[in-house]
Amino acid sequence: QVQVMESGGDSVQAGGSLRLSCVVSGLSYSHFLLAWFRRAPGKEREGVAAVGGVGSTNYANSVKGRFTISIDFVKNTLYLQMNALKPEDTAMYYCAAKESYAYYAVPPLGADEYTNWGLGTQVTVSS
């Protein structure tokens, strides 16, 4: 059974950095989709960044050049390094996973693609 659990959310000032972590269990090596989503108050859930089992990545336009998704296979942990944070990055951030044997040149950022979700970790960016 696939399980994910996020951590690392905090309150920071604009321009600062944070690294979110997501411990993942139950996924086959290289056969997965992993992603970060966020939901700000009053807004729809948004796909932020995704990574496929072959290492391909995909980012929302709003975070390109500022956020980096990565995986530590030894620690079974997904990361989201967030730099140059803006107040509009304030949201609850969720880790999502799916076991997949498909090849993704561009991992999807649609929530419907993912089957396993964490409870979220709050990121607040003040101006």
Side-chain angles (χ1 to χ4, degrees):
Q1 182 179 359
V2 179
Q3 292 184 318
V4 297
M5 185 170 67
E6 314 91 335
S7 64
D10 205 345
S11 297
V12 297
Q13 290 195 326
S17 297
L18 274 178
R19 188 178 75 164
L20 304 183
S21 301
C22 174
V23 177
V24 182
S25 61
L27 279 180
S28 302
Y29 178 76
S30 82
H31 298 136
F32 59 83
L33 282 175
L34 291 169
W36 289 98
F37 288 78
R38 66 186 181 187
R39 176 173 279 166
K43 294 189 177 181
E44 296 290 321
R45 180 169 47 186
E46 173 190 21
V48 174
V51 58
V54 296
S56 54
T57 58
N58 189 18
Y59 295 91
N61 288 334
S62 58
V63 306
K64 280 181 181 176
R66 299 189 298 122
F67 290 11
T68 303
I69 191 170
S70 63
I71 302 172
D72 184 329
F73 289 100
V74 174
K75 296 181 178 180
N76 293 327
T77 301
L78 176 74
Y79 297 105
L80 184 68
Q81 178 66 44
M82 305 186 293
N83 298 327
L85 282 161
K86 305 175 181 180
E88 51 263 44
D89 294 319
T90 295
M92 184 72 79
Y93 283 72
Y94 299 90
C95 176
K98 175 184 177 179
E99 185 171 39
S100 175
Y101 289 77
Y103 168 73
Y104 292 92
V106 181
L109 291 176
D112 290 347
E113 295 281 348
Y114 297 84
T115 55
N116 303 89
W117 293 81
L119 297 178
T121 187
Q122 178 68 37
V123 173
T124 302
V125 185
S126 58
S127 57

